Amino acid sequence: MEKGPIVTVLHRDSVPASDLMAPVADRAVVRYTEAAGLADALRGAEVLFVYDFQSPAVPGAWHAADRLRWLHMGSVGVDPVMFPELRASEVVVTNTRNVFDGPIAEYVLGQIIAFAKDLPESMRLQRRHEWRHRESERVAGATALIVGTGSIGRATARLLRAAGMRVRAVGRRARDDDPDFGTVSADLYAELPAADYVVAIAPLTERTRKMFDATAFAAMKPHARFVNVGRGELVVTDDLVAALRHGTIAAAALDVVDPEPLPAGHPLWDLPNVVLTPHNSGDFHGWRAEIVRAFTDNFGRWADGRPLHNVVDKTLGYVPG
């Protein structure tokens, strides 16, 4: 008979390394399961570690969560598990905040520099063996609007400021003395017209879903660039395609899209003013080990009866900060 608290780990293809999971295995019974076996693995479990954080399996297996007390997401975004039954339950939800902050901030700065220095066009000219002198833009002095004021947004603001950019932000609560953003506005449309770069980092909630639509893109400068490292569903994709085709905005760098993965025939693949990456802006070498360490560290706190790190407000759908 199984003894000790039961920890279920939802994975896909491969399980976390045993040495990384040792702090949990020494104090609990660990059940590893893929999506098809999640319901069986949840029965009697007190903890669920969603290592496969892109899996849609949790809502369908929720009926079997008869003893669950804590669910930990191996990602920052928790939207895949914000279904009504979980929100209404007493199950505590935590996420993997802070692991991806620096890497995603670097990605954003990299895309901004690539746009300013027109690096995609340089690569196209190189492939054609064409030597064409061009001038480029300065990053320093340009204005970046960061939409989303969580830990990733803060890391991004600090890095962009270090590069000499002017940074403003849009968040749920307006304020003038934020240590990282300076001014934070609650009015997206008041801020969009002044931005040279608009960076979407907001969590996906009912309030933010489809916030970037035709009206939002029309409010931007024609030379503005849009960078999305939040969720594809923050954007009305057809409206973005139209804005890029018609010159409403200049370009976009998209690490997340809707739908995802992007279908082979989708127009975003072939637009010359679009840079696409496959939802990997935060995936540095060793990231999988880091998300396991974040869980095992939190498990130690849970097992000792101490407060958990990165507790999600299930009403808001993210960790308030």
Side-chain angles (χ1 to χ4, degrees):
M1 180 179 292
E2 294 176 326
K3 296 181 180 180
I6 298 171
V7 176
T8 296
V9 180
L10 175 61
H11 68 94
R12 180 180 56 187
D13 301 331
S14 62
V15 301
S18 58
D19 59 325
L20 294 175
M21 285 294 293
V24 177
D26 289 345
R27 306 178 70 175
V29 175
V30 181
R31 295 177 181 169
Y32 294 101
T33 182
E34 295 190 357
L38 180 59
D40 288 339
L42 270 178
R43 290 187 176 90
E46 295 181 58
V47 179
L48 172 60
F49 174 26
V50 186
Y51 180 61
D52 178 15
F53 51 82
Q54 292 183 324
S55 173
V58 176
W62 189 249
H63 65 278
D66 52 358
R67 294 190 63 192
L68 199 67
R69 296 166 54 195
W70 168 38
L71 181 152
H72 179 82
M73 285 291 286
S75 61
V76 179
V78 297
D79 46 282
V81 298
M82 285 293 104
F83 52 96
E85 294 83 358
L86 175 57
R87 287 182 185 269
S89 75
E90 295 184 0
V91 174
V92 176
V93 177
T94 58
N95 73 354
T96 310
R97 199 175 191 223
N98 300 128
V99 168
F100 302 105
D101 297 1
I104 294 177
E106 292 166 358
Y107 173 96
V108 172
L109 177 59
Q111 293 290 5
I112 288 174
I113 291 174
F115 281 137
K117 303 308 174 187
D118 201 15
L119 298 185
E121 178 64 12
S122 294
M123 296 177 70
R124 286 189 285 268
L125 291 171
Q126 180 180 342
R127 285 193 293 270
R128 297 202 298 263
H129 297 189
E130 186 173 345
W131 186 277
R132 185 194 303 169
H133 179 270
R134 301 175 340 276
E135 296 179 346
S136 64
E137 302 168 18
R138 292 294 309 274
V139 169
T143 298
L145 176 65
I146 297 177
V147 183
T149 56
S151 61
I152 297 174
R154 291 186 177 281
T156 302
R158 292 191 292 267
L159 196 56
L160 299 188
R161 284 187 186 280
M165 299 189 75
R166 300 187 181 98
V167 174
R168 294 179 68 88
V170 170
R172 189 168 54 94
R173 180 175 58 85
R175 51 200 182 273
D176 293 322
D177 56 352
D178 189 277
D180 295 313
F181 302 111
T183 298
V184 177
S185 172
D187 187 347
L188 176 66
Y189 288 94
E191 297 294 331
L192 287 174
D196 301 301
Y197 296 90
V198 177
V199 183
I201 312 181
L204 181 63
T205 67
E206 289 310 306
R207 183 171 176 265
T208 63
R209 189 182 299 274
K210 301 186 184 301
M211 67 190 304
F212 290 100
D213 57 8
T215 304
F217 293 123
M220 297 183 195
K221 295 178 179 180
H223 73 254
R225 279 77 165 219
F226 177 66
V227 181
N228 190 2
V229 289
R231 282 288 187 267
E233 295 90 340
L234 299 176
V235 178
V236 179
T237 304
D238 289 347
D239 291 357
L240 174 60
V241 170
L244 291 162
R245 279 177 167 164
H246 300 146
T248 307
I249 63 173
L254 308 172
D255 186 53
V256 289
V257 291
D258 180 27
E260 191 173 304
L262 196 65
H266 199 280
L268 283 173
W269 285 112
D270 296 314
L271 288 174
N273 52 350
V274 172
V275 177
L276 290 169
T277 54
H279 205 147
N280 66 345
S281 60
D283 296 352
F284 57 95
H285 294 299
W287 69 271
R288 289 181 178 84
E290 289 302 312
I291 67 172
V292 176
R293 290 190 185 99
F295 169 67
T296 59
D297 288 349
N298 232 3
F299 176 81
R301 302 181 68 84
W302 180 83
D304 293 339
R306 293 181 289 149
L308 292 168
H309 287 311
N310 301 331
V311 175
V312 172
D313 182 323
K314 292 189 290 183
T315 301
L316 296 174
Y318 53 87
V319 178

